[in-house]
Amino acid sequence: MAISRASVPEPYAARLASVRDTLTRRKLDAYFVHDRMDQYWLTGFSGEDGSVVLTADHVVLLTDGRFDEAATREAPYARKVLRKVRGPEANAKEIKRLRVRRIGFNPDQVSVREFNELGKLIRPARLLATDDPIRPLRMQKTPGEIDRIRRAIHVAEEAFKAVRKWIRPGVTEREVAAQIEFEMRRRGAQGPSFPTIVAFGPNSSLPHYDSGDRRWMDSEPVLIDWGAQVDWYCSDLTRVFWTGAVLPEYRTITDVVRQAHDAAIEAVRPGAKAASVDAVARRLITKAGYGKEFNHALGHGFGLRVHEGPRVGRKSKDVLRPGMVVTIEPGIYIPGVGGARIEDDVLVTETGHEVLSSLPTTV
Ligand code: ZN
Ligand code: ZN
């Protein structure tokens, strides 16, 4: 039974049509969606166990009984198939029913085991690893998505302001992380968009530090990297601050990072290569003598996931387009002294950029 496309609401109708266009161009009969956030973006179904088979005429949603009601509410236009057992059999049965021959999938999302098992069951149809047709579409956000990102940023910023007032010498990193996550939830976050990083003093030189039991002394800098997830969309921010007398070199690196952050944001505009925006910050930091100590990419796209396209680093091949939302987060990390990173969330507009976050860089 073909499902009338008129019954699919926006934004899903437009998204399904875009992915279908790509399938036609690539001579694929179907696309197998395995990633939860791709599935949500494409169909509106948010259940954590599901996959989608998309053809020119059908949207088949495969999930299990726990998500029966959610699937009906969130994606009523899709053909729902409830799996009785885990494994590839239900997927294979649907693929056979659809009589498709060439099925594209993203090789980053399907395990070798799933590929082999499903591949055997669907013969003579074939699974074909393909460039993800959804990634480039997800990179450019719609106004509705940008609104949700703004809300996620607002919740994170308000929570930060509350914690900034509350923090006292003697609190532990873990307590600060818990407090900021609590303040985000009470303001409407589903949760943090990633585990909050709170690092005091020398711990801040580890870019992916796990908050621990160190107690804050006000002669130490505090680095907080946090974000909220609101209505499935993420925010991602970093600030450093101190109240007492920190090491002079720490002040220096914070100043350099702030300059690199400001200069890189100015370079964000449609048509700019993401790699050249990275280069703006990296040149400045290298000139100040800290090139080796800036040991990660300048930033990343985010949206339904806290890390998604485009890449904003030295090796990125992505070009910035209106609607992309990226972080700009240069950092300098010196073992024993600490690390400084300042991270903001920036929208690429038709004419340049808009910094979506509004916390001052000096807090
Ligand atoms: Zn971050
Ligand atoms: Zn980030």
Side-chain angles (χ1 to χ4, degrees):
M1 181 192 67
I3 288 155
S4 141
R5 289 197 207 163
S7 65
V8 182
E10 291 298 349
Y12 308 110
R15 292 174 182 174
L16 290 165
S18 302
V19 178
R20 281 172 169 142
D21 278 351
T22 314
L23 299 187
T24 311
R25 278 203 306 278
R26 297 194 189 154
K27 301 190 167 53
L28 293 169
D29 304 318
Y31 187 67
F32 182 56
V33 180
H34 211 51
D35 175 73
R36 182 185 182 185
M37 286 303 150
D38 278 351
Q39 164 199 287
Y40 173 66
W41 179 87
L42 189 63
T43 68
F45 173 58
S46 66
E48 68 181 325
D49 190 357
S51 37
V52 173
V53 181
L54 176 71
T55 71
D57 302 307
H58 299 266
V59 183
V60 182
L61 184 58
L62 295 117
T63 181
D64 65 50
R66 292 172 298 162
F67 301 103
D68 187 358
E69 189 186 349
T72 305
R73 277 203 214 179
E74 295 175 338
Y77 58 87
R79 200 179 103 73
K80 180 176 69 180
V81 178
L82 298 178
R83 286 189 303 251
K84 299 253 166 11
V85 284
R86 286 189 78 86
E89 287 77 11
N91 291 354
K93 204 172 132 198
E94 282 311 307
I95 289 170
K96 289 202 148 166
R97 263 174 74 101
L98 292 165
R99 299 176 187 282
V100 287
R101 299 302 289 263
R102 292 165 52 82
I103 304 130
F105 74 100
N106 178 341
D108 293 336
Q109 294 169 0
V110 174
S111 72
V112 173
R113 180 210 291 260
E114 285 166 317
F115 173 77
N116 286 339
E117 290 181 353
L118 186 60
K120 253 184 223 148
L121 290 169
I122 62 171
R123 274 182 202 153
R126 286 198 301 147
L127 286 172
L128 300 160
T130 179
D131 271 352
D132 190 331
I134 295 178
R135 177 183 185 269
L137 299 170
R138 259 178 63 180
M139 287 201 287
Q140 281 177 277
K141 272 67 180 175
T142 60
E145 290 180 290
I146 295 165
D147 279 348
R148 287 153 86 176
I149 290 170
R150 283 182 203 276
R151 276 159 54 208
I153 293 170
H154 182 72
V155 164
E157 291 188 330
E158 292 302 309
F160 177 88
K161 288 180 200 164
V163 169
R164 181 70 186 82
K165 277 188 211 141
W166 163 90
I167 189 170
R168 295 282 178 275
V171 296
T172 67
E173 293 166 335
R174 232 192 285 278
E175 284 166 347
V176 176
Q179 191 70 15
I180 202 161
E181 293 184 5
F182 168 72
E183 294 288 353
M184 291 195 292
R185 280 183 194 271
R186 26 184 315 233
R187 287 170 170 79
Q190 288 164 286
S193 51
F194 57 92
T196 304
I197 298 171
V198 176
F200 297 156
N203 289 345
S204 58
S205 64
L206 303 162
H208 285 269
Y209 178 67
D210 276 330
S211 310
D213 295 320
R214 189 180 183 91
R215 289 185 186 279
W216 186 43
M217 296 180 292
D218 60 7
S219 58
E220 289 183 336
V222 178
L223 180 149
I224 305 183
D225 186 347
W226 81 106
Q229 190 181 23
V230 176
D231 206 2
W232 297 104
Y233 283 78
C234 299
S235 55
D236 185 7
L237 297 158
T238 306
R239 286 293 181 272
V240 289
F241 62 87
W242 57 87
T243 56
V246 295
L247 296 172
E249 189 169 20
Y250 192 83
R251 286 174 188 273
T252 307
I253 61 172
T254 306
D255 283 342
V256 174
V257 163
R258 185 174 294 112
Q259 286 164 28
H261 160 273
D262 294 355
I265 288 176
E266 282 314 307
V268 172
R269 65 177 73 93
K273 287 182 185 150
S276 21
V277 179
D278 179 284
V280 168
R282 207 165 294 280
R283 251 197 315 267
L284 224 140
I285 291 175
T286 305
K287 240 173 112 183
Y290 295 106
K292 279 209 186 79
E293 287 73 25
F294 176 20
N295 52 17
H296 55 72
L298 175 65
H300 52 86
F302 67 96
L304 287 169
R305 292 206 187 276
V306 74
H307 289 116
E308 59 182 53
R311 294 177 61 187
V312 186
R314 268 183 285 196
K315 292 188 181 136
S316 174
K317 295 202 162 35
D318 293 321
V319 173
L320 299 181
R321 303 276 178 226
M324 289 184 173
V325 184
V326 298
T327 69
I328 296 294
E329 49 177 310
I332 298 176
Y333 309 91
I334 304 176
V337 173
R341 178 167 70 254
I342 300 176
E343 176 175 25
D344 274 303
D345 298 340
V346 182
L347 167 69
V348 185
T349 63
E350 293 290 337
T351 52
H353 63 265
E354 182 193 346
V355 185
L356 299 178
S357 37
S358 62
L359 271 183
T361 55
T362 307
V363 288

